[in-house]
């Protein structure tokens, strides 16, 4: 049960980072049953941009998809890392030039070493690669990290997820739901404006995962228990 307000504030809270506008061309690459599509559809329409609906067969053919990106002058691309890995290979087989200015990763952990061939063929900020950690129950995205080529060395073997979106609260808590010490494993909890109402017609599960936020100081605030460590 994600509300309209959860979605509209997602874009308001991240606009300083991305500077989306009416000149941007987005792709609807993902299924409407995947929360990444919410970001794709409304990211284009809220700013008066253009949304290219990618046919099913092209979305599963990396060479054809790269051709579409170039042909339609797509500027904003959203990908899971596994899909982008195939697109990197497709670019290496093509002579076409893309118009991308932002590539936003989500949906799964990013292995930084896979980006090495991309950085070898593309300038560091043309496009800007961004890693975002997200949860459906807290409205698509939770954190933001603009990647740099040096991250491939400095953060090898990890997936840096960056900083929280400004209108969210993020905690790493231990088994007693107390802040975990730095360097110790804990579970990610998320509070703030992105937290959805709960699960439709599943009150017991809602009660288990959508908990009162004891760290906020305001009565009635909630946080979502992600299960991610």
């Amino acid at each position: 049960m994600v509300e309209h307000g959860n979605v509209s504030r997602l874009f308001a809270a991240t606009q300083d980072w991305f500077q989306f506008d009416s000149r941007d061309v987005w792709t609807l690459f993902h299924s409407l049953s995947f929360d990444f599509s919410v970001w794709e559809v409304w990211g284009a329409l809220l700013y008066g941009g253009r949304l290219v609906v990618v046919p099913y067969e092209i979305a599963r053919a990396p060479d054809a998809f790269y051709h579409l990106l170039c042909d339609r002058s797509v500027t904003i691309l959203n990908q899971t890392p596994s899909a982008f890995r195939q697109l990197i290979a497709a670019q290496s087989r093509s002579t076409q030039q893309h118009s991308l200015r932002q590539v936003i990763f989500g949906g799964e952990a990013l292995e930084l070493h896979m980006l090495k061939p991309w950085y070898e063929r593309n300038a560091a900020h043309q496009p800007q690669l961004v890693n975002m950690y997200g949860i459906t129950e807290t409205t698509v995205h939770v954190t933001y990290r603009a990647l740099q080529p040096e991250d491939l060395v400095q953060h090898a073997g990890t997936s840096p997820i960056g900083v929280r979106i400004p209108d969210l609260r993020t905690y790493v808590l231990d088994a007693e739901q107390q802040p975990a010490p730095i360097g110790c494993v804990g579970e990610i909890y998320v509070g703030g404006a992105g937290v959805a109402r709960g699960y439709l017609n599943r009150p017991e599960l809602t009660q288990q995962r959508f908990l009162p936020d004891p760290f906020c100081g305001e009565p009635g605030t909630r946080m979502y228990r992600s299960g991610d460590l």
Side-chain angles (χ1 to χ4, degrees):
M1 291 186 286
V2 179
E3 300 180 2
H4 293 125
N6 294 134
V7 176
S8 61
R9 51 66 36 194
L10 170 64
F11 290 97
T14 56
Q15 177 62 355
D16 285 348
W17 288 328
F18 292 109
Q19 297 295 310
F20 299 135
D21 62 32
S22 61
R23 294 169 293 180
D24 281 319
V25 181
W26 298 59
T27 57
L28 176 56
F29 179 85
H30 299 95
S31 164
L32 291 175
S33 63
F34 182 22
D35 68 344
F36 223 165
S37 68
V38 172
W39 174 258
E40 293 178 305
V41 171
W42 299 110
L45 301 184
L46 277 171
Y47 296 100
R50 184 152 55 95
L51 182 65
V52 177
V53 181
V54 181
Y56 179 87
E57 61 275 11
I58 291 181
R60 278 145 187 81
D63 292 285
F65 181 53
Y66 183 73
H67 173 75
L68 180 145
L69 292 178
C70 299
D71 190 51
R72 301 295 182 89
S73 300
V74 172
T75 61
I76 309 296
L77 176 64
N78 303 277
Q79 293 273 275
T80 62
S82 56
F84 191 69
R85 184 192 296 270
Q86 298 180 64
L87 195 66
I88 292 174
Q91 188 200 33
S92 71
R93 297 187 291 266
S94 175
T95 58
Q96 287 186 281
Q97 297 296 314
H98 63 74
S99 302
L100 296 170
R101 72 174 189 87
Q102 297 275 352
V103 176
I104 301 158
F105 299 117
E108 61 193 41
L110 172 66
E111 298 177 359
L112 289 177
H113 64 83
M114 63 164 271
L115 300 177
K116 186 174 184 292
W118 178 267
Y119 278 126
E120 289 173 347
R121 286 193 299 271
N122 298 270
H125 304 292
Q126 296 177 342
Q128 174 65 61
L129 304 186
V130 175
N131 192 28
M132 299 190 82
Y133 162 75
I135 308 168
T136 302
E137 293 88 343
T138 59
T139 316
V140 190
H141 296 307
V142 174
T143 67
Y144 168 95
R145 171 61 181 255
L147 298 171
Q148 313 294 336
E150 53 267 28
D151 288 334
L152 276 63
V153 175
Q154 296 175 1
H155 298 280
T158 66
S159 182
I161 62 173
V163 298
R164 61 176 175 80
I165 292 173
D167 64 352
L168 298 180
R169 300 182 300 275
T170 53
Y171 314 112
V172 179
L173 306 181
D174 62 20
E176 307 300 324
Q177 294 181 354
Q178 295 299 311
I182 292 174
C184 294
V185 174
E187 185 175 352
I188 298 175
Y189 290 69
V190 180
V195 178
R197 294 185 194 177
Y199 295 109
L200 183 65
N201 298 327
R202 303 189 70 183
E204 292 183 0
L205 185 58
T206 296
Q207 189 174 17
Q208 292 172 13
R209 303 302 289 268
F210 292 84
L211 308 173
D213 185 345
F215 307 102
C216 178
E218 297 180 13
T221 56
R222 298 173 306 140
M223 60 182 184
Y224 178 73
R225 181 177 188 175
S226 72
D228 294 330
L229 302 180

